[in-house]
Amino acid sequence: MTRQQQVVIVGGGVIGLLTAYNLASEVGSVVLLDRSNVGQESSWAGGGIVSPLYPWRYSPAVTALAHWSQDFYPQLGARLFADTGVDPQVHTTGLYWLDLDDEVEALAWAERENRPLRAVDISAAHDAVPVLGGGFSRAIYMADVANVRNPRLVKSLKAALLALPNVTIHEQCEVSGFLREGQRVVGVQTGTGVIKGDQVVLTAGAWSGDLLKTLDLTLPVEPVKGQMILYKCAADFLPSMVLAKGRYAIPRRDGHILIGSTLEHEGYDKTPTDVALASLKASAIELLPALADAEVVGHWAGLRPGSPEGVPYIGRVPGFEGLWLNCGHYRNGLVLAPASCQLFADVMLGRTPIIDPLPYEPAGRTQPDLH
């Protein structure tokens, strides 16, 4: 592709925003479209732990993206803060996993991958996190795990893009289909008309599969609902992230504590439920008993882009010249975003890729829709 081309990006979550950010200096113009406001879906709703919850349970494809992103996040946060004055708050706290069934596998993975994960005595975990509940007997710890304050990351990325003269953002602009000339995709159809592009990139999260159906392609990306609750405590209440039984507590710098998250297959329904609220509160109090006396100040739901084994689709769509994917990150969109968007730019621009792009290629992973 030439440097004068216009790239249209469909979907303004963190993946779409960061894809635009990485491409803006390399192409003629970037047009970013979002059906609501940018970053208001899973990018806003998630917890922002800069690690898969159980990294040893994932394929090498996810691990490769996660490692690159984890190492890159601090400099991305610093660069965005310097450029925009909005600090994404990449907050390195470390993470304790408690009473794991597969602790042996976790430690073997850490040794194999040279990651600083180690078993610690439960008394050391209590010393480091005095508010930790007493019902746990084993702990493993990784010191360099950070969390990013994802709503601020979205705000920072949007501000960085708005400052660029060749980037246009259209919010409240829903894409209903693709404009084609033969087998080439040359733009998108929106509620307000056609927007043409030399290249079109689909970064629409949980909605990506539905959009590809308009081309009679089946992409196994589906919405998976997750609910979270938020407490407000003293700034020093929780010094580290903790995780047990699939639920986690994440401290923000100002004392907000996020507790998450449910996994529900409810289609596109994002209604928070009393059942989930009760379940999340129970998990919160088991992890951090002092939260029994704290007020829940927020409760919400988001839709993750579920995909097989959580391996995203990054690259060209076979049979449709000019159409690209960067979607399907499931539970790890915020974790994998820096690496996914760097890899995407490398592949689109013909540069040497940061990691092997083969496991993420849509070729062989999308099927014609026979229904």
Side-chain angles (χ1 to χ4, degrees):
M1 59 176 285
T2 65
R3 288 186 70 97
Q4 283 71 49
Q5 292 199 351
Q6 174 155 297
V7 178
V8 175
I9 297 174
V10 181
V14 163
I15 298 291
L17 291 165
L18 199 47
T19 298
Y21 187 66
N22 285 350
L23 289 177
S25 62
E26 305 290 335
V27 301
S29 59
V30 176
V31 181
L32 179 71
L33 314 174
D34 196 89
R35 55 191 289 280
S36 58
N37 293 325
V38 297
Q40 295 304 297
E41 295 293 346
S42 59
S43 296
W44 182 90
I49 301 176
V50 185
S51 170
L53 291 186
Y54 301 98
W56 53 89
R57 297 179 188 172
Y58 283 93
S59 69
V62 173
T63 298
L65 290 171
H67 284 187
W68 196 94
S69 288
Q70 284 165 327
D71 294 340
F72 186 73
Y73 246 114
Q75 69 192 78
L76 175 65
R79 179 178 167 191
L80 286 170
F81 188 19
D83 285 354
T84 67
V86 180
D87 185 0
Q89 293 187 7
V90 179
H91 184 28
T92 303
T93 62
L95 173 57
Y96 286 92
W97 288 264
L98 305 164
D99 290 0
L100 281 170
D101 293 333
D102 56 353
E103 184 177 306
V104 171
E105 290 84 349
L107 293 169
W109 169 88
E111 189 166 350
R112 192 170 64 245
E113 296 288 337
N114 195 29
R115 302 309 276 183
L117 177 71
R118 58 189 173 87
V120 296
D121 194 89
I122 194 67
S123 64
H126 280 285
D127 288 345
V129 187
V131 289
L132 186 63
F136 304 104
S137 56
R138 289 175 293 111
I140 64 174
Y141 177 64
M142 190 145 66
D144 63 352
V145 183
N147 67 76
V148 62
R149 195 156 184 172
N150 34 307
R152 293 180 65 95
L153 176 64
V154 165
K155 193 175 175 185
S156 186
L157 281 167
K158 182 180 178 181
L161 290 174
L162 289 173
L164 297 174
N166 65 332
V167 176
T168 309
I169 298 175
H170 293 293
E171 297 179 304
Q172 308 296 326
C173 181
E174 185 158 8
V175 171
S176 57
F178 299 95
L179 191 65
R180 290 163 63 184
E181 291 177 0
Q183 285 301 98
R184 183 170 186 87
V185 171
V186 295
V188 294
Q189 185 71 50
T190 77
T192 54
V194 165
I195 296 176
K196 291 202 167 185
D198 301 291
Q199 311 290 334
V200 175
V201 188
L202 189 55
T203 60
W207 288 263
S208 299
D210 283 359
L211 277 168
L212 278 189
K213 276 183 190 156
T214 66
L215 296 173
D216 295 326
L217 283 175
T218 298
L219 182 77
V221 173
E222 59 171 6
V224 181
K225 182 176 176 179
Q227 298 189 50
M228 311 269 291
I229 58 175
L230 183 71
Y231 293 90
K232 180 70 167 75
C233 302
D236 59 353
F237 172 76
L238 181 62
S240 178
M241 294 181 282
V242 291
L243 191 159
K245 300 180 184 173
R247 296 279 169 86
Y248 50 77
I250 304 171
R252 301 303 197 209
R253 285 183 190 159
D254 63 0
H256 278 103
I257 309 292
L258 286 97
I259 305 290
S261 164
T262 63
L263 275 174
E264 306 165 64
H265 292 267
E266 300 284 345
Y268 288 98
D269 176 22
K270 289 197 300 178
T271 312
T273 63
D274 290 342
V275 171
L277 177 62
S279 172
L280 289 164
K281 274 182 160 178
S283 295
I285 293 164
E286 185 179 8
L287 278 169
L288 307 166
L291 291 180
D293 301 320
E295 179 193 355
V296 174
V297 296
H299 174 207
W300 63 85
L303 300 174
R304 310 173 185 88
S307 60
E309 298 184 354
V311 178
Y313 299 84
I314 303 171
R316 193 187 299 271
V317 179
F320 292 90
E321 190 67 27
L323 182 61
W324 305 75
L325 301 183
N326 191 1
C327 59
H329 294 74
Y330 196 12
R331 302 190 76 175
N332 294 311
L334 286 157
V335 186
L336 306 181
S340 297
C341 298
Q342 184 69 43
L343 178 63
F344 179 86
D346 290 343
V347 171
M348 178 181 258
L349 299 168
R351 301 187 303 218
T352 302
I354 51 164
I355 55 174
D356 180 7
L358 193 61
Y360 319 100
E361 283 181 0
R365 301 173 67 208
T366 53
Q367 282 82 40
D369 191 344
L370 303 177
H371 299 294

